[in-house]
Amino acid sequence: MNFKSPFMIVLYCLAVITIVSFCLINVVSEFSIVGSIGLIIIFLMCTYKTYINYLIYKRQKQDQRISDAYLYAEEIGNEEAIKTFAYDKKTERQLRAEKFSKGIIPLSFLTLTAISVILLIVCIRII
């Protein structure tokens, strides 16, 4: 992860604005809305970024599987073996577990985004 990328700089700025807004709630209660909107934007950005990374990961694994299928078919000398190629059970289990682990991250950020929206609704109702 590049901590000096424009994405991260925007994320840092939004985090500072959100923290300052939540710290100033006692001064003016409308800062809770600003802080909640900041949280929503931060979590939406993180959801988008992690989902894109997940899609890239899935595409790489799919390309690797196709490459392995072609190598397997070339080894045995049968072009039809590409259609029936499969990894062994242990490798398949590891790939599924890895895919699940990578897929949890965008879902977690999406959940945090939903919680932030609920927080915004609560803040609006209180004010």
Side-chain angles (χ1 to χ4, degrees), residues 83-124:
K83 297 176 186 173
T84 61
F85 173 77
Y87 290 117
D88 60 337
K89 288 183 180 184
K90 181 179 178 184
T91 306
E92 284 289 341
R93 194 176 318 119
Q94 287 174 344
L95 289 173
R96 275 195 314 267
E98 193 174 322
K99 182 179 172 185
F100 178 76
S101 296
K102 295 277 186 181
I104 284 288
I105 298 169
L107 290 176
S108 299
F109 277 120
L110 188 63
T111 304
L112 289 172
T113 303
I115 291 170
S116 299
V117 169
I118 292 169
L119 179 65
L120 175 65
I121 292 169
V122 168
C123 290
I124 290 173

Side-chain angles (χ1 to χ4, degrees), residues 57-68:
Y57 165 78
K58 276 181 53 174
R59 174 61 73 177
Q60 287 172 344
K61 290 300 177 182
Q62 184 179 15
D63 290 345
Q64 182 64 42
R65 181 182 292 269
I66 292 170
S67 174
D68 289 345

Side-chain angles (χ1 to χ4, degrees), residues 5-36:
S5 69
F7 176 82
M8 291 303 293
I9 292 171
V10 170
L11 203 64
Y12 298 147
C13 292
L14 280 170
V16 168
I17 290 170
T18 302
I19 291 169
V20 168
S21 296
F22 282 134
C23 289
L24 294 174
I25 287 177
N26 289 334
V27 177
V28 178
S29 60
E30 282 77 17
F31 277 118
S32 63
I33 295 173
V34 175
S36 297

